[in-house]
Structure formats: C-alpha cells, structure tokens
C-alpha cells in the first residue's frame, strides 16, 4: 500500500497536476512573451550533449513543461552510433525490472523486448536509442522520463529558441563552430545556457582563461548578453530524484532573471548573479582538487582526519587562486565551497581520483570513462598549472622576499600536475605532499591572499 501511494505521488508530480499550483503555465507564457513567440509557434528548447547533467536538465524541463505540447517543444541532441556494451545492457535490464513504473512504461511503449534481447546478446543497443526511453548512458541507475532525441545536429538546433550546452568544455568549441554554420540565415538570436564546468588556458597575448561561454561566443559570434552559465552544488541523479538543490544562473540581467524564474522548481531553487565568468571558472576549479580528494580517501582507507587535512590545504589554495581571479573574492567563498563539498562527497572527479589510487583505472585509459563521461578535472589541472606558472603573473613570495609564479604557492596543484599530466609520480605523491614538514599552515596562505594585492584581471580577460 505504501508503495502504491508513493508511485501515485510521483506520477501526480511528474505529469504536472500538482506542479500546476506553482504557476508553471504562467511561467511558460511569460517566457514566451519575452521571446516574442506567437500563438501556435512552440518555444523550442534543445539540449546539446547528453551526459548526466545535460540529460537530467532536459528531463527536468520535460517533466515540468512537456505537458504543454502546443506551447513548448523540448528535445536533446547526442551523437549517433555509440553502442552500449554487453555488461551495461545486462545491468540496464536489472534496473528496468527493479522499477515497476519503468517496467510498465516500456511494456506500454512496446520497447521492453529490445532490452530482453540485448541482455541475451541478440541485439546491440545504442546510446541515442536508450535515451529515448529515458536512460542516460552515464547514469544507468537513474531512469529519466522519455526524451525526444535528435542525432542530426542541424535538425536539432536550426530553429531553437533556447540551447542548453551540456557538452564537456573539451568539445564545446568544435560543436558550436558547426552550429554557427547552421545559424547564418537566422533572423532571431537564440539564448544559450551553458552547464559546462571546464576551462582552457591561453597564453597570448597575455595568459588568460577561456571558459565554455567564451568558447561559444567566439565560435558563434553571438553577444555575451545571450549566453549564460548555470551551475551549483548538485549531483545530477539526486536532482532528478527531487533531492533539494539549488543553482545559480549567471549572465546579463535581461535573460538571467526570467530564466531563473522559469527554471525554478520546489526542489530546485535557481538564483541569479551578474558575475558569469568568475562563477564559471570556480565550477572548473573545484574539479581540480576533487581528484586529489579521491586519491587521499582511497590511500588512507577513508580516514576522516586525513581527508580533513587535505580539505584544509586544498581550500586554502582555492582561496588564494580566487584572489588572483576576482576583485571581490569573498563573494565567491560560499558558492565555491558548496560546489567543492558536494563534488568531494559524490562527484565523478573524486571517484576518478579514488579509482586511480586503487589501481582500478589508469591514466592511459584517458579522461573519458565509460559510465561516467568526461572527467573535466584532468584538463583543468593542466590549464590552471600552465596559467599560474607564467612569470608575467609573478607574486611576492611571503618568506623568500622574491617574485615567484603563483603556482609555487599551490603545492597541491603542483603535485596533481606531476601525477596527472606529467605522469612523473604515482598517486602516493599526494600523501607525501600533505606530510611534507615544510608545508605551510594553510591559514598562512589565506592570510597571504587577504593581505596582498594579488588580483590579476587579465586572467579572466578583463582590461
């Protein structure tokens, strides 16, 4: 009886009859008016990239607004041809049979048999195919609602009003350069919401960070006014399962406030902020230190004491780096620490560090891992190290009374670079770095950052 009540509650929530009390249709109509949509012309929202967060984001919108079919069209693009391996197909079958609601849904859609055949090895499943049934390849244990999946990029985005970038930063530029060709004849300008949390380093004409929104801007020529970033301390599967979460949408006021209102749900509170680039960079920075946290956890058998020592040192380095990046870094402390905390607890970057330290993964396997997707922290380690090692960014050394590159005051970042990028040391080096008797009290690094004028506006491309 309890199970029946729970299923009934979930179904009422999913099909919108309870959500209507939160003014969903009114929020949709308001956004349509702002975008100048005429009656009979649906608002077209397209997710580009079908990783865990990109798929969940599209599914959240489908759950909330999909019932208003004449007013909104929600779809997601992913590349075709990615085959699901036999082990994943078998596990997917187990998940389906453990969820009565999912089982019934597939039977009603006459889709169940293909999963039986795949389990028996008589059929090959594809990632875009299972996504239509609500299964994200990077998140098999969390069935989503069925999604409208498009594998032709031009078909997906040519008339989109809102494009959600769910691609890794390493793929964003290439895909949006292709998209720009399909938008040459457009009259209206779309809105882009980027979910990507990675960075690249550029050294000319001066060392600076390139973020996914900047990649999109350069690839498409679109004004930054129409490009926004959404991020926060969230785990995709937990958000879809309606665990309470919050996020921040950052960008120009013209769009961030109405979009924050449109995206807000009872379990997913969206705030807004004008500081787009800095928040975006912080989303990439925490991934760097999450990998080290996973290594420490594995190497110390989940020692709470050792993990807290690491946390003290890594947060002091992040605070130091924020003082290089932001004129008012104290405004970033809360969002950065919250995002870092959830990533250390359950994020894919911390998991990756654990698997490396346990020997269950190797660096030779690359940073795109089956069942997890792209490990953004690996490329971010290289980017932050490369930037912060540039002599043109030198800062005064607090003890040696000489200028040094900022990376010299970030021993954890240096160690991660030697492990992950240079491959000169094993994961054990992260513990050696923590146990180094010459390692300063992390409080001192924070004091250094707070008492010196370290702000380097050129790092974020500011004049």
């Amino acid at each position: 009886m309890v199970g029946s009540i729970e299923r009934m509650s979930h179904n009422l929530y999913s099909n919108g009859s309870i959500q209507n009390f939160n003014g969903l249709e009114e929020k949709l109509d308001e956004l349509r008016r702002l975008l100048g949509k005429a009656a009979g012309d649906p608002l077209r929202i397209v997710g580009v990239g079908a990783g865990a967060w990109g798929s969940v984001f599209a599914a959240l919108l489908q759950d909330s607004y999909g019932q208003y079919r004449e007013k909104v069209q929600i779809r997601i693009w992913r590349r075709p041809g990615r085959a699901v391996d036999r082990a994943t197909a078998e596990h997917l079958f187990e998940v389906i049979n453990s969820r009565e609601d999912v089982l019934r849904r597939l039977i009603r859609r006459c889709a169940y048999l293909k999963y039986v055949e795949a389990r028996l090895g008589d059929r090959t499943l594809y990632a875009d195919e299972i996504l239509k049934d609500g299964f994200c390849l990077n998140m098999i244990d969390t069935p989503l609602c069925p999604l409208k999946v498009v594998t032709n990029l031009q078909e997906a985005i040519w008339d989109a009003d809102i494009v959600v970038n769910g691609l890794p930063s390493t793929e964003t530029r290439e895909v949006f350069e292709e998209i720009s060709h399909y938008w040459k004849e457009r009259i209206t300008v779309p809105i882009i919401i980027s979910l990507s949390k990675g960075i690249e380093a550029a050294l000319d004409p001066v060392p600076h960070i390139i973020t996914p929104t900047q990649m999109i801007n350069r690839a498409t020529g679109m004004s930054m006014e129409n490009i926004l970033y959404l991020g926060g301390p969230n785990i995709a599967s937990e958000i879809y399962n309606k665990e309470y979460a919050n996020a921040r949408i950052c960008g120009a006021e013209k769009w961030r406030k109405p979009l924050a209102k449109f995206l807000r749900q009872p379990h997913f509170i969206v705030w807004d902020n004008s500081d787009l680039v800095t928040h975006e960079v912080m989303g990439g920075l925490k991934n760097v230190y999450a990998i080290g946290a996973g290594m420490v956890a594995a190497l110390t058998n989940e020692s709470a004491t050792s993990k807290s020592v690491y946390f003290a040192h890594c947060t002091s380095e992040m605070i130091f780096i924020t003082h290089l990046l932001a004129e008012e870094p104290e405004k970033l402390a809360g969002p950065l620490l919250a995002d870092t905390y959830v990533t250390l607890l359950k994020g894919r970057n911390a998991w990756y560090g654990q698997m490396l330290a346990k020997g269950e993964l190797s660096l030779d396997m690359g940073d795109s891992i089956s069942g997890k997707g792209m490990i953004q922290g690996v490329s971010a380690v290289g980017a932050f190290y490369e930037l912060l090692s540039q002599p043109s960014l030198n800062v005064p050394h607090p003890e040696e009374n000489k200028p040094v590159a900022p990376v010299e005051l970030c021993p954890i970042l240096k160690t991660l670079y030697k492990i992950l990028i240079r491959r000169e040391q094993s994961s054990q080096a992260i513990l050696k770095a923590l146990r180094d008797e010459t390692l300063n009290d992390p409080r001192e690094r924070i004091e250094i950052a707070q008492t010196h004028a370290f702000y380097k506006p050129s790092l974020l491309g500011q004049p």
Side-chain angles (χ1 to χ4, degrees):
M1 182 65 183
V2 173
S4 299
I5 293 171
E6 287 176 349
R7 285 193 297 276
M8 185 183 299
S9 174
H10 175 77
N11 290 338
L12 284 170
Y13 198 97
S14 297
N15 68 23
S17 56
I18 284 180
Q19 287 185 333
N20 281 340
F21 288 110
N22 298 308
L24 281 174
E25 189 169 12
E26 290 79 2
K27 291 196 291 186
L28 175 58
D29 288 340
E30 184 177 339
L31 187 60
R32 284 174 50 83
R33 283 193 297 272
L34 287 171
L35 286 164
K37 301 298 291 184
D41 182 16
L43 175 68
R44 295 175 177 86
I45 302 175
V46 177
V48 175
W53 188 206
S55 297
V56 163
F57 195 84
L60 287 174
L61 293 175
Q62 179 65 35
D63 271 346
S64 296
Y65 296 105
Q67 60 190 307
Y68 307 111
R69 296 180 182 178
E70 295 181 358
K71 295 184 177 184
V72 65
Q73 178 189 83
I74 299 158
R75 49 191 172 173
I76 188 167
W77 170 84
R78 74 155 294 134
R79 290 184 177 89
R82 173 77 181 274
V84 176
D85 61 56
R86 175 75 179 273
T88 303
E90 290 177 349
H91 180 57
L92 184 54
F93 186 73
E94 293 172 3
V95 171
I96 290 167
N97 283 282
S98 69
R99 292 280 299 265
E100 185 180 339
D101 56 330
V102 177
L103 180 61
R104 289 181 179 278
R105 185 179 80 201
L106 290 175
I107 292 173
R108 281 199 306 270
R109 299 180 67 191
C110 300
Y112 180 66
L113 184 59
K114 68 184 178 187
Y115 294 99
V116 177
E117 293 174 340
R119 176 175 177 264
L120 297 173
D122 296 332
R123 193 185 197 287
T124 300
L125 295 174
Y126 292 92
D128 57 287
E129 177 185 21
I130 66 171
L131 189 61
K132 294 175 184 177
D133 293 323
F135 301 108
C136 171
L137 194 56
N138 294 340
M139 203 172 49
I140 294 297
D141 291 310
T142 305
L144 309 175
C145 63
L147 293 168
K148 170 66 176 176
V149 181
V150 183
T151 56
N152 181 293
L153 184 58
Q154 182 175 7
E155 178 189 344
I157 58 82
W158 74 274
D159 60 349
D161 300 299
I162 298 174
V163 175
V164 180
N165 175 36
L167 296 163
S169 61
T170 48
E171 299 178 20
T172 294
R173 179 185 284 105
E174 177 187 352
V175 172
F176 275 87
E177 283 176 350
E178 183 179 349
I179 287 173
S180 70
H181 298 311
Y182 307 138
W183 281 349
K184 285 182 178 177
E185 306 301 322
R186 283 193 66 129
I187 299 173
T188 59
V189 181
I191 298 168
I192 297 175
I193 303 171
S194 181
L195 310 177
S196 185
K197 293 183 176 180
I199 71 157
E200 288 184 357
L203 303 182
D204 294 320
V206 294
H208 63 283
I209 288 169
I210 302 175
T211 66
T213 60
Q214 292 170 331
M215 295 174 198
I216 293 168
N217 165 253
R218 297 174 188 185
T220 63
M222 282 180 52
S223 167
M224 287 299 293
E225 183 179 66
N226 277 50
I227 306 174
L228 302 101
Y229 165 71
L230 184 137
N234 30 59
I235 300 296
S237 60
E238 293 185 350
I239 291 176
Y240 192 73
N241 287 327
K242 296 183 170 52
E243 299 290 337
Y244 178 79
N246 59 60
R248 214 171 249 100
I249 189 163
C250 305
E253 184 172 358
K254 176 181 179 181
W255 294 119
R256 74 172 191 267
K257 288 188 177 295
L259 284 170
K261 184 177 180 181
F262 176 72
L263 296 172
R264 190 174 298 131
Q265 299 184 20
H267 66 283
F268 184 58
I269 304 304
V270 180
W271 299 313
D272 69 278
N273 192 280
S274 62
D275 191 350
L276 183 155
V277 174
T278 314
H279 277 84
E280 196 176 12
V281 172
M282 295 302 102
L285 181 61
K286 52 86 181 175
N287 286 335
V288 168
Y289 292 96
I291 296 178
M295 292 176 179
V296 171
L299 294 170
T300 63
N301 196 27
E302 298 288 346
S303 163
T305 302
S306 297
K307 288 193 288 187
S308 69
V309 170
Y310 176 82
F311 189 73
H313 282 286
C314 79
T315 51
S316 73
E317 287 190 18
M318 286 191 286
I319 290 169
F320 172 70
I321 292 170
T322 60
H323 278 74
L324 292 167
L325 297 171
E327 191 169 13
E328 299 178 285
E330 61 279 355
K331 292 183 179 180
L332 297 169
L336 176 58
L337 289 176
D339 209 352
T340 301
Y341 181 65
V342 75
T343 304
L344 266 56
L345 284 177
K346 203 173 179 180
R348 74 181 71 176
N349 288 277
W351 171 88
Y352 180 73
Q354 284 186 313
M355 294 300 102
L356 284 178
K358 291 178 179 179
E360 296 181 25
L361 290 177
S362 73
L363 292 172
D364 291 334
M365 297 170 69
D367 51 8
S368 182
I369 306 299
S370 177
K372 289 290 182 179
M374 182 63 66
I375 309 300
Q376 295 278 96
V378 177
S379 61
V381 167
F384 276 109
Y385 181 91
E386 189 175 8
L387 283 169
L388 301 183
S389 61
Q390 298 303 308
S392 61
L393 300 174
N394 278 0
V395 297
H397 193 285
E399 296 174 350
E400 299 178 11
N401 196 28
K402 66 176 184 180
V404 295
V407 76
E408 296 303 320
L409 300 179
C410 300
I412 302 298
L413 176 59
K414 286 181 66 177
T415 302
L416 288 170
Y417 181 79
K418 291 176 182 177
I419 297 170
L420 298 169
I421 309 300
R422 296 291 297 273
R423 303 189 184 186
E424 297 173 346
Q425 298 177 340
S426 70
S427 300
Q428 287 282 348
I430 201 78
L431 286 187
K432 293 178 182 177
L434 289 181
R435 293 167 179 168
D436 187 344
E437 292 184 10
T438 65
L439 196 63
N440 289 338
D441 183 338
R443 175 186 58 82
E444 295 177 15
R445 188 177 296 104
I446 296 172
E447 288 180 352
I448 291 166
Q450 292 175 336
T451 56
H452 291 70
F454 284 156
Y455 175 44
K456 305 286 185 183
S458 59
L459 270 172
L460 295 186
Q462 305 299 321

